[in-house]
Amino acid sequence: MGKTVIISNRLPVQLQIDGDTITAIPSVGGLATGMKSVHSGGDSLWIGWSGLTDEEIPEGLAPKIDQALKKHGSSKVNLTEADVDGFYYGFSNRTIWPLFHYFLEYTEFELESWNTYVAVNQKFADAILEKSEDDDTIWVHDYQLMLVPQMVRQQRPNISIGFFLHIPFPSFEIFRTLPWREKILEGLLGSDLIGFHTYNYERHFLSSVRRLLGLEVSFNEIYKDDRVIKVDSFPMGIDYKKFSDAAKEHDEKKENQQSELQQRLNTHKESDPDAKFILSIDRLDYTKGIAKRLNGFEYFLNKYPQYKEKVRLIILAVPSRSNVPQYQLLKKEVDELVGRINGELSTVSWTPIWYFYRSMPFDNLIDLYTSSDIALLTPIRDGMNLVAKEYIATRTDRTGVLILSEMAGSANEMNESLLINPNNFEQIADSLYEAINMPVEEQKSRNRFLQKRLERYNVEKWANDFMRSLIDQKERIHTKVSRKLTASVQNRVVDQYTKAKKRLLFLDYDGTLAGFHNDPQKAMPDEKLYQLLDAISTQKNTDLYLISGRDKDTFTKWFLHKKYNMIVEHGVWISKDGEEFRLLENVKNDWMEKIRPVLESFVDRSPGTFIEEKNYSLAWHYRNTDPDFGNKRATELTTVLTSLIANDDLTVLSGNKVLEIKSSGVNKGRAAMRMLTEDEYDFVFAIGDDWTDEFMFQELPESAVTVKVGLQKTHAKYYLENTQKVRELLEKFAGAE
Ligand code: ADP
Ligand code: G6P
């Protein structure tokens, strides 16, 4: 087992140069703080950007920088100033960040910054390729590097790649506005496992994959070419022990050991027995709802004036992305708002808001967490929000109330906190009132639940879960690969084919010999296919059957003149050697009058769907409608039909984006078995792509070579990826004697 390679834009430390001295300062932000604990524990290398551009690194200092990073198990990707401008300040933080947080009005679509994003992602991918071996596990992080998985996959098809998105994945309606939306999805799909903080983000992602790439998604697996990509949610935790231990240590400190900040906090706390601190900590980012928080707090003081001179709001905002204009505007807005509220409400002995605009050492963060009675976190949209979890972890005596926006990913797991809508000032004010007046016993009982959960599902568990899932995925892919009809297995099969005295072949049509088309009538055979089928069907001792759910009129038009053997409508009709179709089964169709109006009512209510009428069956196609909607309607229709046909000898078959109602007992398996008994065959082959072909795979004897097209679950012995591969195999049959 190789090492783990972590790749993110931010490294755990940011370097600063002062003359000849290099200082490493810890990075802020959920990704770096969370992954740091994972990284420090094991055999891993962290690749990322040092925070310095090539232009900022004086000549000769590069080796020192590499050494400084090596101490933190890290290695840097070199970025020029122009790279950082287009990739970081540009596409990452002016396009993806606002868009994925639903700030469409802040989102810029600039071709130039997209191009830089692609080029810089390639730099990261190259760094991975240089530093990793085939048996390493690659873990790519976050929205800055969404193209990296595919770039690495192209060069190292067998390496294991996981991707985790630390921010929300927006709904399809938002994501679809991005001009490069398909490229982003394809980039991500280079991974074996894609992780999100919450099920909602996962759901949005799968919906975009289905709608924009038209890929088959089954539960949380995506089928793409010969690969299966798993998508799952893993809510990120914190290093619980680190925070709770630090808080315990903090509690034990004597007064003279306390920090200056702590002493100041004590003085204010002691000034009034009812004095309360409300705390908020975040990067200065418009997604964090800082202005809404300030307005909400002002509204609270006016609604409940008895708390004036008693309650203080401490806002710690860390400078972030200050080259991006929206962040500069936000800084101005927050400065002014704090100034105005303090100006209007302060008294000689009381300033309602304490505002710190800077980063703080860990010990001071702990001072703030442990001294605050309430944490007020009001993001308008937040992938997770780890600050909420850190606050709870530091409450050693279990007092303290967390007020948390329901728009934060962490709200899903922190139901015992007071959840608010950050746009509702009334609710913010009332929650503050409730928090201030919450009995200590209630605080403790709420926090007991929260702490238990956070302690159990900590960041280590989160990372282990992700890694285990990635390894499982790799193993599953291995077992799949063992069933793949590889070149060597194909050679064996062709050898059997050549040596056989009498061969029987069943070839499904749609999805096997030909690809799907929105209009089934347009999926007609091409000249190459005719040639291929001609070559096989005219071979000595070879009985070839096209076996399909199609209606007989279409196959008559397409194939009768070719004299291929055909079984259509799932086994109702048969034609041999160019004869007209005759009934293979004694079936009825008088039930159609009853069922057709039901299907019609579904067509009326489901735009894009249509009915295909065959002689002995009715099919309802839903390929051309929205995939989620189509699946929902299909489930609905199945339920309606199942109760309607209970007393008839009918069955509802679920094919590839089609439901078909037909006589039960008639299926491709039964038809194939009838043909099998007509002669002494020593080579039997069946190939097909959907559920209706499974009847053949199940019923044909064990010695038959059965092949599924696609990676879904199957009874077939082997699988092939797509119609192109099917043709390549048939070419080999055609070339055999
Ligand atoms: P985001 O990832 O959007 O920045 P999170 O709340 O998930 O938001 O993570 C923020 C992380 O940054 C937390 O781990 C927090 O402790 C750390 N952090 C926030 N503010 C500061 C600060 N002023 N100084 C040091 N670390 C900070
Ligand atoms: C969020 C993002 C991270 C990012 C962090 C800090 O947590 O998900 O990818 O590193 O914010 O932002 P910055 O732009 O300073 O890296």
Side-chain angles (χ1 to χ4, degrees):
M1 174 98 189
K3 61 182 178 305
T4 303
V5 182
I6 301 168
I7 304 96
S8 64
N9 177 47
R10 282 272 175 226
L11 283 173
V13 289
Q14 297 298 290
L15 297 185
Q16 284 178 353
I17 300 180
D18 190 4
D20 262 1
T21 343
I22 299 169
T23 12
I25 49 165
S27 302
V28 289
L31 189 167
T33 53
M35 284 303 293
K36 212 182 298 181
S37 359
V38 178
H39 177 55
S40 56
D43 172 23
S44 54
L45 169 70
W46 194 330
I47 299 176
W49 173 47
S50 68
L52 296 168
T53 63
D54 289 356
E55 290 84 345
E56 284 168 323
I57 303 177
E59 232 172 274
L61 217 59
K64 257 191 154 175
I65 290 201
D66 289 341
Q67 259 172 13
L69 290 177
K70 209 168 170 192
K71 272 196 215 142
H72 298 272
S74 304
S75 162
K76 72 174 188 323
V77 176
N78 296 329
L79 298 185
T80 64
E81 206 177 302
D83 285 343
V84 174
D85 266 353
F87 155 74
Y88 175 72
Y89 291 114
F91 197 75
S92 297
N93 288 316
R94 287 192 210 189
T95 307
I96 297 294
W97 179 270
L99 187 71
F100 280 35
H101 286 88
Y102 294 73
F103 281 80
L104 255 179
E105 68 279 24
Y106 291 178
T107 307
E108 296 172 19
F109 299 124
E110 290 288 340
L111 180 61
E112 215 172 299
S113 58
W114 161 253
N115 287 336
T116 316
Y117 183 82
V118 178
V120 171
N121 268 247
Q122 189 62 58
K123 282 194 174 186
F124 277 84
D126 291 345
I128 297 169
L129 293 167
E130 190 194 317
K131 297 261 174 340
S132 62
E133 313 290 331
D134 257 359
D135 63 343
D136 289 345
T137 304
I138 313 293
W139 192 359
V140 187
H141 289 266
D142 229 357
Y143 65 102
Q144 302 91 345
L145 303 177
M146 290 190 284
L147 305 178
V148 168
Q150 190 195 28
M151 289 170 167
V152 175
R153 174 75 57 208
Q154 272 163 358
Q155 302 299 319
R156 296 266 175 87
N158 298 321
I159 204 163
S160 188
I161 307 176
F163 180 92
F164 193 86
L165 187 73
H166 291 258
I167 66 172
F169 194 94
S171 105
F172 164 69
E173 291 299 342
I174 295 283
F175 184 69
R176 72 189 306 188
T177 61
L178 184 69
W180 307 278
R181 56 203 187 176
E182 288 88 359
K183 297 238 161 51
I184 295 285
L185 294 179
E186 275 158 8
L188 290 170
L189 292 181
S191 323
D192 297 304
L193 171 68
I194 304 175
F196 298 92
H197 282 307
T198 73
Y199 173 65
N200 276 338
Y201 309 157
E202 172 190 339
R203 186 166 65 78
H204 291 321
F205 173 72
L206 288 174
S207 143
S208 283
V209 165
R210 252 192 320 230
R211 289 175 161 84
L212 293 167
L213 301 182
L215 291 178
E216 183 78 20
V217 176
S218 168
F219 298 104
N220 60 346
E221 289 190 333
I222 300 167
Y223 299 91
K224 184 174 195 288
D225 306 323
D226 59 342
R227 302 181 40 243
V228 184
I229 298 124
K230 188 171 167 192
V231 180
D232 213 340
S233 57
F234 305 85
M236 189 179 191
I238 55 165
D239 187 344
Y240 187 88
K241 196 164 175 309
K242 177 174 148 192
F243 282 90
S244 68
D245 284 355
K248 279 180 207 144
E249 212 174 286
H250 172 274
D251 292 348
E252 284 158 12
K253 275 189 189 158
K254 299 201 185 75
E255 214 177 308
N256 60 358
Q257 294 170 314
Q258 289 177 337
S259 69
E260 210 184 306
L261 172 68
Q262 185 62 54
Q263 290 177 7
R264 271 182 65 200
L265 292 167
N266 293 346
T267 315
H268 285 275
K269 245 329 183 14
E270 283 151 13
S271 67
D272 188 311
D274 290 333
K276 300 268 182 211
F277 283 129
I278 302 168
L279 174 69
S280 78
I281 297 186
D282 13 43
R283 283 179 304 98
L284 190 79
D285 195 297
Y286 49 80
T287 60
K288 302 286 184 183
I290 301 176
K292 301 236 183 235
R293 189 179 311 158
L294 289 166
N295 285 321
F297 181 61
E298 182 186 23
Y299 188 82
F300 160 78
L301 289 175
N302 289 326
K303 184 167 178 183
Y304 300 102
Q306 65 271 35
Y307 295 109
K308 284 185 182 168
E309 303 214 297
K310 294 198 165 51
V311 171
R312 286 186 178 84
L313 174 64
I314 305 177
I315 296 225
L316 171 59
V318 195
S320 184
R321 307 172 194 165
S322 36
N323 280 13
V324 178
Q326 288 304 342
Y327 288 75
Q328 293 161 0
L329 288 175
L330 176 71
K331 166 83 176 48
K332 197 160 165 274
E333 184 191 1
V334 171
D335 283 354
E336 283 172 8
L337 205 52
V338 172
R340 183 184 62 71
I341 299 172
N342 275 345
E344 281 173 18
L345 297 176
S346 292
T347 61
V348 184
S349 56
W350 176 70
T351 317
I353 302 163
W354 286 358
Y355 172 44
F356 301 91
Y357 174 62
R358 58 166 187 253
S359 194
M360 271 197 193
F362 182 71
D363 283 351
N364 284 154
L365 280 189
I366 299 295
D367 291 339
L368 288 174
Y369 281 141
T370 50
S371 307
S372 300
D373 309 275
I374 296 164
L376 175 63
L377 303 170
T378 55
I380 300 168
R381 218 34 93 165
D382 203 337
M384 174 47 74
N385 198 297
L386 294 180
V387 168
K389 296 185 170 181
E390 293 171 0
Y391 173 69
I392 294 295
T394 59
R395 308 304 303 174
T396 47
D397 65 356
R398 299 215 170 102
T399 61
V401 183
L402 169 65
I403 304 177
L404 178 62
S405 161
E406 62 192 44
M407 313 298 171
S410 50
N412 285 302
E413 309 153 68
M414 304 187 86
N415 251 317
E416 292 79 4
S417 60
L418 299 182
L419 295 181
I420 49 115
N421 173 351
N423 301 304
N424 186 341
F425 295 157
E426 201 72 44
Q427 198 189 18
I428 295 182
D430 292 346
S431 298
L432 281 172
Y433 180 85
E434 189 186 343
I436 292 170
N437 293 291
M438 187 181 285
V440 168
E441 266 325 299
E442 186 180 342
Q443 298 179 23
K444 288 186 175 175
S445 97
R446 284 173 185 257
N447 290 340
R448 189 172 302 122
F449 283 111
L450 288 169
Q451 288 186 341
K452 239 180 148 175
R453 210 171 301 137
L454 293 178
E455 190 169 8
R456 202 173 49 234
Y457 204 84
N458 58 22
V459 72
E460 202 183 328
K461 176 97 176 55
W462 167 81
N464 287 342
D465 271 9
F466 184 90
M467 279 307 200
R468 192 165 315 123
S469 186
L470 184 54
I471 291 164
D472 282 355
Q473 187 63 3
K474 200 173 176 182
E475 279 166 5
R476 284 191 50 208
I477 292 168
H478 266 293
T479 38
K480 285 239 152 149
V481 167
S482 67
R483 289 188 33 235
K484 187 170 164 179
L485 205 56
T486 52
S488 67
V489 185
Q490 286 193 24
N491 289 344
R492 272 208 320 268
V493 171
V494 174
D495 192 43
Q496 268 176 277
Y497 182 93
T498 316
K499 288 184 182 145
K501 293 199 182 69
K502 188 88 205 209
R503 308 154 182 155
L504 178 62
L505 274 66
F506 296 105
L507 313 180
D508 165 54
Y509 184 74
D510 293 286
T512 303
L513 297 180
F516 286 103
H517 203 286
N518 284 349
D519 176 355
Q521 287 307 316
K522 293 204 172 128
M524 50 183 61
D526 52 275
E527 199 42 49
K528 274 231 165 89
L529 181 62
Y530 282 132
Q531 286 167 8
L532 196 55
L533 296 175
D534 283 346
I536 300 175
S537 64
T538 53
Q539 278 174 349
K540 272 195 306 218
N541 299 327
T542 306
D543 289 339
L544 174 144
Y545 284 86
L546 296 180
I547 187 160
S548 167
R550 288 265 184 172
D551 67 292
K552 77 173 174 29
D553 299 335
T554 307
F555 265 36
T556 301
K557 195 164 72 196
W558 289 351
F559 298 115
L560 196 70
H561 63 288
K562 287 288 189 180
K563 304 196 173 159
Y564 307 144
N565 299 328
M566 296 182 277
I567 294 172
V568 295
E569 295 194 22
H570 301 288
V572 174
W573 300 95
I574 185 162
S575 155
K576 286 195 191 180
D577 302 324
E579 288 169 5
E580 286 296 316
F581 274 101
R582 64 181 165 82
L583 280 172
L584 184 63
E585 296 279 351
N586 191 9
V587 282
K588 294 195 195 128
N589 59 7
D590 50 357
W591 51 269
M592 286 188 179
E593 290 311 305
K594 180 168 86 178
I595 300 296
R596 193 182 298 105
V598 179
L599 297 189
E600 280 165 356
S601 80
F602 269 74
V603 168
D604 293 343
R605 292 187 298 124
S606 323
T609 68
F610 63 93
I611 301 170
E612 184 188 0
E613 193 148 336
K614 306 181 192 176
N615 293 285
Y616 290 92
S617 68
L618 287 173
W620 175 73
H621 289 264
Y622 58 96
R623 177 169 306 280
N624 305 337
T625 193
D626 173 276
D628 283 338
F629 177 66
N631 287 340
K632 201 171 134 262
R633 279 277 194 259
T635 314
E636 217 180 297
L637 179 57
T638 310
T639 316
V640 172
L641 289 172
T642 313
S643 64
L644 255 181
I645 61 173
N647 298 322
D648 299 291
D649 199 14
L650 295 174
T651 186
V652 182
L653 270 190
S654 159
N656 196 328
K657 306 282 180 209
V658 56
L659 286 185
E660 186 153 356
I661 304 95
K662 54 183 267 306
S663 296
S664 40
V666 177
N667 61 50
K668 289 184 181 179
R670 182 171 149 130
M673 286 305 285
R674 282 180 66 163
M675 299 307 112
L676 184 71
T677 54
E678 291 194 347
D679 210 330
E680 293 270 310
Y681 294 104
D682 57 350
F683 179 87
V684 180
F685 175 87
I687 188 163
D689 73 303
D690 81 11
W691 203 80
T692 61
D693 301 302
E694 293 294 321
F695 288 107
M696 289 196 285
F697 304 151
Q698 265 177 298
E699 294 199 22
L700 285 170
E702 185 51 35
S703 56
V705 177
T706 50
V707 185
K708 164 95 176 171
V709 186
L711 302 180
Q712 293 87 337
K713 265 206 173 133
T714 181
H715 289 100
K717 259 191 213 152
Y718 302 107
Y719 79 90
L720 274 177
E721 298 91 315
N722 50 39
T723 53
Q724 178 55 33
K725 302 272 179 198
V726 176
R727 295 232 182 158
E728 285 166 22
L729 173 67
L730 294 183
E731 296 278 1
K732 292 185 185 166
F733 286 172
E737 266 315 297

